mmCIF file with all atom_site columns, all heavy atoms in Angstrom:
data_model
loop_
_atom_site.group_PDB
_atom_site.id
_atom_site.type_symbol
_atom_site.label_atom_id
_atom_site.label_alt_id
_atom_site.label_comp_id
_atom_site.label_asym_id
_atom_site.label_entity_id
_atom_site.label_seq_id
_atom_site.pdbx_PDB_ins_code
_atom_site.Cartn_x
_atom_site.Cartn_y
_atom_site.Cartn_z
_atom_site.occupancy
_atom_site.B_iso_or_equiv
_atom_site.pdbx_formal_charge
_atom_site.auth_seq_id
_atom_site.auth_comp_id
_atom_site.auth_asym_id
_atom_site.auth_atom_id
_atom_site.pdbx_PDB_model_num
ATOM 1   N N   . GLN A 1 2  ? 88.633 72.491 103.443 1.00 67.00 ? 1141 GLN A N   1
ATOM 2   C CA  . GLN A 1 2  ? 87.695 71.608 103.086 1.00 67.00 ? 1141 GLN A CA  1
ATOM 3   C C   . GLN A 1 2  ? 88.359 70.237 102.697 1.00 67.00 ? 1141 GLN A C   1
ATOM 4   O O   . GLN A 1 2  ? 89.472 70.246 102.240 1.00 67.00 ? 1141 GLN A O   1
ATOM 5   C CB  . GLN A 1 2  ? 86.779 72.003 102.011 1.00 67.00 ? 1141 GLN A CB  1
ATOM 6   C CG  . GLN A 1 2  ? 85.856 73.203 102.446 1.00 67.00 ? 1141 GLN A CG  1
ATOM 7   C CD  . GLN A 1 2  ? 85.001 73.708 101.164 1.00 67.00 ? 1141 GLN A CD  1
ATOM 8   O OE1 . GLN A 1 2  ? 85.245 73.326 100.121 1.00 67.00 ? 1141 GLN A OE1 1
ATOM 9   N NE2 . GLN A 1 2  ? 83.907 74.383 101.573 1.00 67.00 ? 1141 GLN A NE2 1
ATOM 10  N N   . ASN A 1 3  ? 87.519 69.168 102.821 1.00 73.00 ? 1142 ASN A N   1
ATOM 11  C CA  . ASN A 1 3  ? 87.940 67.898 102.309 1.00 73.00 ? 1142 ASN A CA  1
ATOM 12  C C   . ASN A 1 3  ? 87.939 67.899 100.800 1.00 73.00 ? 1142 ASN A C   1
ATOM 13  O O   . ASN A 1 3  ? 87.286 68.823 100.090 1.00 73.00 ? 1142 ASN A O   1
ATOM 14  C CB  . ASN A 1 3  ? 87.160 66.754 102.852 1.00 73.00 ? 1142 ASN A CB  1
ATOM 15  C CG  . ASN A 1 3  ? 87.346 66.560 104.362 1.00 73.00 ? 1142 ASN A CG  1
ATOM 16  O OD1 . ASN A 1 3  ? 88.590 66.530 104.789 1.00 73.00 ? 1142 ASN A OD1 1
ATOM 17  N ND2 . ASN A 1 3  ? 86.356 66.351 105.058 1.00 73.00 ? 1142 ASN A ND2 1
ATOM 18  N N   . ALA A 1 4  ? 88.456 66.966 100.058 1.00 77.00 ? 1143 ALA A N   1
ATOM 19  C CA  . ALA A 1 4  ? 88.519 66.874 98.670  1.00 77.00 ? 1143 ALA A CA  1
ATOM 20  C C   . ALA A 1 4  ? 87.098 66.846 98.180  1.00 77.00 ? 1143 ALA A C   1
ATOM 21  O O   . ALA A 1 4  ? 86.742 67.326 97.050  1.00 77.00 ? 1143 ALA A O   1
ATOM 22  C CB  . ALA A 1 4  ? 89.310 65.564 98.158  1.00 77.00 ? 1143 ALA A CB  1
ATOM 23  N N   . ASP A 1 5  ? 86.127 66.193 98.847  1.00 81.00 ? 1144 ASP A N   1
ATOM 24  C CA  . ASP A 1 5  ? 84.694 66.198 98.369  1.00 81.00 ? 1144 ASP A CA  1
ATOM 25  C C   . ASP A 1 5  ? 83.941 67.493 98.690  1.00 81.00 ? 1144 ASP A C   1
ATOM 26  O O   . ASP A 1 5  ? 82.718 67.591 98.337  1.00 81.00 ? 1144 ASP A O   1
ATOM 27  C CB  . ASP A 1 5  ? 83.958 64.973 98.985  1.00 81.00 ? 1144 ASP A CB  1
ATOM 28  C CG  . ASP A 1 5  ? 83.846 65.026 100.445 1.00 81.00 ? 1144 ASP A CG  1
ATOM 29  O OD1 . ASP A 1 5  ? 84.373 65.989 101.169 1.00 81.00 ? 1144 ASP A OD1 1
ATOM 30  O OD2 . ASP A 1 5  ? 83.260 64.180 101.096 1.00 81.00 ? 1144 ASP A OD2 1
ATOM 31  N N   . GLY A 1 6  ? 84.580 68.473 99.358  1.00 75.00 ? 1145 GLY A N   1
ATOM 32  C CA  . GLY A 1 6  ? 83.853 69.721 99.721  1.00 75.00 ? 1145 GLY A CA  1
ATOM 33  C C   . GLY A 1 6  ? 83.326 69.824 101.088 1.00 75.00 ? 1145 GLY A C   1
ATOM 34  O O   . GLY A 1 6  ? 82.823 70.855 101.494 1.00 75.00 ? 1145 GLY A O   1
ATOM 35  N N   . SER A 1 7  ? 83.262 68.706 101.863 1.00 78.00 ? 1146 SER A N   1
ATOM 36  C CA  . SER A 1 7  ? 82.772 68.713 103.141 1.00 78.00 ? 1146 SER A CA  1
ATOM 37  C C   . SER A 1 7  ? 83.769 69.375 104.110 1.00 78.00 ? 1146 SER A C   1
ATOM 38  O O   . SER A 1 7  ? 84.862 69.522 103.844 1.00 78.00 ? 1146 SER A O   1
ATOM 39  C CB  . SER A 1 7  ? 82.428 67.232 103.577 1.00 78.00 ? 1146 SER A CB  1
ATOM 40  O OG  . SER A 1 7  ? 83.628 66.535 103.618 1.00 78.00 ? 1146 SER A OG  1
ATOM 41  N N   . ALA A 1 8  ? 83.154 69.729 105.267 1.00 76.00 ? 1147 ALA A N   1
ATOM 42  C CA  . ALA A 1 8  ? 83.989 70.412 106.222 1.00 76.00 ? 1147 ALA A CA  1
ATOM 43  C C   . ALA A 1 8  ? 85.032 69.531 106.882 1.00 76.00 ? 1147 ALA A C   1
ATOM 44  O O   . ALA A 1 8  ? 84.709 68.341 107.046 1.00 76.00 ? 1147 ALA A O   1
ATOM 45  C CB  . ALA A 1 8  ? 83.159 71.025 107.392 1.00 76.00 ? 1147 ALA A CB  1
ATOM 46  N N   . VAL A 1 9  ? 86.126 69.962 107.342 1.00 79.00 ? 1148 VAL A N   1
ATOM 47  C CA  . VAL A 1 9  ? 87.145 69.114 108.050 1.00 79.00 ? 1148 VAL A CA  1
ATOM 48  C C   . VAL A 1 9  ? 86.687 68.939 109.377 1.00 79.00 ? 1148 VAL A C   1
ATOM 49  O O   . VAL A 1 9  ? 86.215 69.818 110.075 1.00 79.00 ? 1148 VAL A O   1
ATOM 50  C CB  . VAL A 1 9  ? 88.470 69.929 108.005 1.00 79.00 ? 1148 VAL A CB  1
ATOM 51  C CG1 . VAL A 1 9  ? 89.550 69.113 108.904 1.00 79.00 ? 1148 VAL A CG1 1
ATOM 52  C CG2 . VAL A 1 9  ? 88.951 70.090 106.553 1.00 79.00 ? 1148 VAL A CG2 1
ATOM 53  N N   . THR A 1 10 ? 86.766 67.611 109.819 1.00 80.00 ? 1149 THR A N   1
ATOM 54  C CA  . THR A 1 10 ? 86.299 67.306 111.220 1.00 80.00 ? 1149 THR A CA  1
ATOM 55  C C   . THR A 1 10 ? 87.423 66.622 111.983 1.00 80.00 ? 1149 THR A C   1
ATOM 56  O O   . THR A 1 10 ? 88.374 66.147 111.373 1.00 80.00 ? 1149 THR A O   1
ATOM 57  C CB  . THR A 1 10 ? 85.087 66.300 111.176 1.00 80.00 ? 1149 THR A CB  1
ATOM 58  O OG1 . THR A 1 10 ? 85.442 65.204 110.419 1.00 80.00 ? 1149 THR A OG1 1
ATOM 59  C CG2 . THR A 1 10 ? 83.908 67.038 110.434 1.00 80.00 ? 1149 THR A CG2 1
ATOM 60  N N   . THR A 1 11 ? 87.169 66.590 113.354 1.00 79.00 ? 1150 THR A N   1
ATOM 61  C CA  . THR A 1 11 ? 88.127 65.807 114.135 1.00 79.00 ? 1150 THR A CA  1
ATOM 62  C C   . THR A 1 11 ? 87.785 64.384 114.117 1.00 79.00 ? 1150 THR A C   1
ATOM 63  O O   . THR A 1 11 ? 86.797 63.999 113.484 1.00 79.00 ? 1150 THR A O   1
ATOM 64  C CB  . THR A 1 11 ? 88.111 66.344 115.653 1.00 79.00 ? 1150 THR A CB  1
ATOM 65  O OG1 . THR A 1 11 ? 86.795 66.185 116.082 1.00 79.00 ? 1150 THR A OG1 1
ATOM 66  C CG2 . THR A 1 11 ? 88.521 67.834 115.610 1.00 79.00 ? 1150 THR A CG2 1
ATOM 67  N N   . ALA A 1 12 ? 88.487 63.508 114.800 1.00 81.00 ? 1151 ALA A N   1
ATOM 68  C CA  . ALA A 1 12 ? 88.249 62.034 114.865 1.00 81.00 ? 1151 ALA A CA  1
ATOM 69  C C   . ALA A 1 12 ? 86.869 61.634 115.337 1.00 81.00 ? 1151 ALA A C   1
ATOM 70  O O   . ALA A 1 12 ? 86.332 60.678 114.867 1.00 81.00 ? 1151 ALA A O   1
ATOM 71  C CB  . ALA A 1 12 ? 89.371 61.330 115.698 1.00 81.00 ? 1151 ALA A CB  1
ATOM 72  N N   . ASP A 1 13 ? 86.348 62.470 116.211 1.00 85.00 ? 1152 ASP A N   1
ATOM 73  C CA  . ASP A 1 13 ? 84.956 62.076 116.730 1.00 85.00 ? 1152 ASP A CA  1
ATOM 74  C C   . ASP A 1 13 ? 83.795 62.733 115.875 1.00 85.00 ? 1152 ASP A C   1
ATOM 75  O O   . ASP A 1 13 ? 82.664 62.508 116.164 1.00 85.00 ? 1152 ASP A O   1
ATOM 76  C CB  . ASP A 1 13 ? 84.753 62.574 118.186 1.00 85.00 ? 1152 ASP A CB  1
ATOM 77  C CG  . ASP A 1 13 ? 84.853 64.062 118.372 1.00 85.00 ? 1152 ASP A CG  1
ATOM 78  O OD1 . ASP A 1 13 ? 84.901 64.799 117.302 1.00 85.00 ? 1152 ASP A OD1 1
ATOM 79  O OD2 . ASP A 1 13 ? 84.749 64.520 119.525 1.00 85.00 ? 1152 ASP A OD2 1
ATOM 80  N N   . GLY A 1 14 ? 84.184 63.388 114.791 1.00 80.00 ? 1153 GLY A N   1
ATOM 81  C CA  . GLY A 1 14 ? 83.263 63.887 113.823 1.00 80.00 ? 1153 GLY A CA  1
ATOM 82  C C   . GLY A 1 14 ? 82.678 65.236 114.066 1.00 80.00 ? 1153 GLY A C   1
ATOM 83  O O   . GLY A 1 14 ? 81.972 65.819 113.261 1.00 80.00 ? 1153 GLY A O   1
ATOM 84  N N   . SER A 1 15 ? 83.179 65.950 115.163 1.00 82.00 ? 1154 SER A N   1
ATOM 85  C CA  . SER A 1 15 ? 82.872 67.305 115.392 1.00 82.00 ? 1154 SER A CA  1
ATOM 86  C C   . SER A 1 15 ? 83.667 68.143 114.530 1.00 82.00 ? 1154 SER A C   1
ATOM 87  O O   . SER A 1 15 ? 84.807 67.859 114.113 1.00 82.00 ? 1154 SER A O   1
ATOM 88  C CB  . SER A 1 15 ? 82.996 67.613 116.809 1.00 82.00 ? 1154 SER A CB  1
ATOM 89  O OG  . SER A 1 15 ? 84.353 67.490 117.199 1.00 82.00 ? 1154 SER A OG  1
ATOM 90  N N   . PRO A 1 16 ? 83.090 69.388 114.190 1.00 76.00 ? 1155 PRO A N   1
ATOM 91  C CA  . PRO A 1 16 ? 83.857 70.236 113.307 1.00 76.00 ? 1155 PRO A CA  1
ATOM 92  C C   . PRO A 1 16 ? 85.144 70.710 113.848 1.00 76.00 ? 1155 PRO A C   1
ATOM 93  O O   . PRO A 1 16 ? 85.260 70.927 115.166 1.00 76.00 ? 1155 PRO A O   1
ATOM 94  C CB  . PRO A 1 16 ? 82.928 71.489 113.203 1.00 76.00 ? 1155 PRO A CB  1
ATOM 95  C CG  . PRO A 1 16 ? 81.522 71.039 113.555 1.00 76.00 ? 1155 PRO A CG  1
ATOM 96  C CD  . PRO A 1 16 ? 81.780 69.884 114.549 1.00 76.00 ? 1155 PRO A CD  1
ATOM 97  N N   . MET A 1 17 ? 86.215 70.834 113.143 1.00 75.00 ? 1156 MET A N   1
ATOM 98  C CA  . MET A 1 17 ? 87.544 71.235 113.559 1.00 75.00 ? 1156 MET A CA  1
ATOM 99  C C   . MET A 1 17 ? 87.420 72.735 113.959 1.00 75.00 ? 1156 MET A C   1
ATOM 100 O O   . MET A 1 17 ? 86.960 73.553 113.215 1.00 75.00 ? 1156 MET A O   1
ATOM 101 C CB  . MET A 1 17 ? 88.526 71.029 112.552 1.00 75.00 ? 1156 MET A CB  1
ATOM 102 C CG  . MET A 1 17 ? 89.985 71.274 112.857 1.00 75.00 ? 1156 MET A CG  1
ATOM 103 S SD  . MET A 1 17 ? 90.941 70.701 111.488 1.00 75.00 ? 1156 MET A SD  1
ATOM 104 C CE  . MET A 1 17 ? 92.523 70.527 112.260 1.00 75.00 ? 1156 MET A CE  1
#
Side-chain angles (χ1 to χ4, degrees):
Q1141 296 180 337
N1142 291 315
D1144 64 357
S1146 62
V1148 175
T1149 60
T1150 60
D1152 65 2
S1154 61
M1156 190 173 195

